[in-house]
Amino acid sequence: MNQPAKRLPVILAVDDESTNLQLLRQILQDRYSLLFAKDGPRALELAAKEQPDLILLDVMMPDMTGYEVCRRLKADPATEGIPVIFVTALTDSTDEVDGFEAGAVDYITKPVSPAVVKARVRLHLSLVRLDELKASRLEIVQRLGLAAEYKDNETGLHVIRMSHYTRLLAIACGLDEDDVDDLFNAAPMHDIGKIGIPDRILQKPAKLDEEEWRVMQGHPTIGADIIGRHATGMLAVACQVAQNHHEKWDGSGYPHGLQGEQIPLAGRIVAVADVFDALTSVRPYKQAWSVEQACDYLRAQRGLHFDPHLVDLFLTQLPAVAEIMEKWAER
């Protein structure tokens, strides 16, 4: 069976001196597909048309400097993600600062060392692949969350709203930016375990009987099993969320009856966001509650269902909550 040809990474080299372009060709042609431009306008044209994986860019060029080219690349959504490495004879530290402020990821000084050029190019292409891998993993997680929605009577807008409420609350808790992003992206996975619940139970229009409720209470454990156990990162947070979002502060929740701070913070945050959106949304079995009614419920369940500190923080975010409700309202 014939294997498809392996795609070589594409590098755009930009320099007004032909000898410099020839040198870069000699250094890189064995492992990369190369494009060349001798001025800024041509570089911008090729970058937009060919979407190279990386750009090696001279600074001192006539008419348009490399700094200006880089700024224009970063201002265009079509090219802003392409990493730019300046290759220049300028060696002053202020020149490097100017380059980084323009949007470059690295700086190589002339005369270039072939080993340095190869190493820097390899490094930044590996970072691009890492970013692509992270983006693909995130998309898979989001689509897995979408799969759970097809099993339930809730809409995708519920998942969007409660994820944004989760972000608000995580920021209010003082979590750092990476942890906030992990929790925001993990929140849509909270009910993934419902994939394993029979439709006759999940979509039953009447109240569940005792046996059916016992089965339904298994969905957090199913969700954690689907996501798997991970030491760190977004999937580790997603597993915590799926496993613990039905635990209650007073220990009366499920599946393990955890109490207080035994419940991971991610689960406690999502519990508030999830219940608030459920209360303020229309369901086949209920009308939407007003924000005031939902807030009264949170206050009443402060220290019972919910972490009391998180309830207090959530209630300070109501103007931002209202904006989310309006932006992602059911139409």
Side-chain angles (χ1 to χ4, degrees):
M1 176 173 151
N2 293 330
Q3 294 292 326
K6 183 178 180 180
R7 175 188 176 276
L8 294 178
V10 177
I11 297 174
L12 170 60
V14 187
D15 198 302
D16 61 317
E17 294 289 341
S18 297
T19 53
N20 292 330
L21 295 179
Q22 291 278 7
L23 178 58
L24 290 174
R25 181 196 295 274
Q26 293 173 8
I27 295 171
L28 299 170
Q29 64 184 350
D30 290 343
R31 297 190 61 179
Y32 306 101
S33 179
L34 301 175
L35 301 170
F36 300 98
K38 297 187 71 174
D39 56 57
R42 178 59 175 162
L44 294 172
E45 178 185 349
L46 281 174
K49 180 181 179 182
E50 302 295 339
Q51 292 291 301
D53 298 286
L54 184 143
I55 298 174
L56 297 174
L57 180 59
D58 186 24
V59 173
M60 301 308 295
M61 297 185 295
D63 301 325
M64 186 184 296
T65 68
Y67 297 143
E68 179 61 22
V69 173
C70 190
R71 282 191 287 266
R72 293 195 186 189
L73 288 167
K74 297 305 170 182
D76 185 346
T79 56
E80 65 178 348
I82 302 173
V84 175
I85 300 176
F86 279 122
V87 183
T88 179
L90 300 175
T91 58
D92 193 277
S93 60
T94 59
D95 296 317
E96 291 193 24
V97 171
D98 290 341
F100 290 127
E101 289 181 348
V105 297
D106 210 340
Y107 216 91
I108 299 174
T109 57
K110 297 175 180 177
V112 300
S113 160
V116 169
V117 172
K118 290 178 181 179
R120 300 286 180 82
V121 167
R122 186 167 58 248
L123 169 63
H124 289 288
L125 287 177
S126 70
L127 294 176
V128 169
R129 288 192 290 272
L130 180 61
D131 288 342
E132 291 173 347
L133 179 61
K134 289 180 178 177
S136 296
R137 184 179 67 177
L138 176 57
E139 184 172 359
I140 290 170
V141 167
Q142 291 171 336
R143 292 190 176 278
L144 190 56
L146 182 62
E149 294 165 31
Y150 280 96
K151 286 277 289 181
D152 207 348
N153 57 19
E154 296 175 350
T155 71
L157 292 177
H158 161 70
V159 171
I160 293 172
R161 287 190 302 268
M162 63 82 60
S163 297
H164 282 283
Y165 300 152
T166 296
R167 180 195 285 277
L168 283 178
L169 195 44
I171 293 172
C173 281
L175 299 187
D176 67 33
E177 184 176 350
D178 288 341
D179 289 339
V180 169
D181 285 344
D182 282 344
L183 187 48
F184 174 71
N185 291 315
M189 298 287 286
H190 67 291
D191 273 340
I192 188 63
K194 288 183 177 179
I195 288 176
I197 302 301
D199 288 349
R200 62 179 177 80
I201 295 176
L202 192 61
Q203 300 175 2
K204 184 177 179 180
K207 183 178 179 180
L208 300 182
D209 64 29
E210 184 176 343
E211 175 59 22
E212 290 168 337
W213 180 237
R214 185 190 64 77
V215 173
M216 177 65 85
Q217 287 180 314
H219 83 265
T221 301
I222 295 171
D225 289 342
I226 290 173
I227 296 168
R229 269 61 180 182
H230 306 267
T232 60
M234 187 261 290
L235 289 177
V237 178
C239 184
Q240 287 186 347
V241 166
Q243 180 81 59
N244 298 295
H245 69 287
H246 283 297
E247 299 289 358
K248 295 184 178 182
W249 185 258
D250 65 0
S252 64
Y254 64 90
H256 298 303
L258 300 181
Q259 186 173 12
E261 293 187 358
Q262 291 178 336
I263 308 167
L265 179 59
R268 285 181 270 147
I269 290 174
V270 168
V272 174
D274 185 34
V275 170
F276 177 83
D277 190 70
L279 293 175
T280 54
S281 300
V282 175
R283 292 288 183 268
Y285 52 86
K286 62 176 273 297
Q287 293 297 312
W289 290 20
S290 69
V291 171
E292 292 75 15
Q293 289 173 315
C295 289
D296 285 343
Y297 180 83
L298 294 183
R299 294 186 187 97
Q301 291 295 314
R302 183 182 181 279
L304 300 175
H305 187 155
F306 306 114
D307 180 336
H309 179 57
L310 294 182
V311 170
D312 294 343
L313 287 177
F314 187 83
L315 294 175
T316 69
Q317 304 299 310
L318 292 183
V321 167
E323 292 179 6
I324 293 168
M325 294 179 73
E326 172 61 25
K327 183 175 182 179
W328 301 106
E330 308 283 348
R331 304 300 184 189

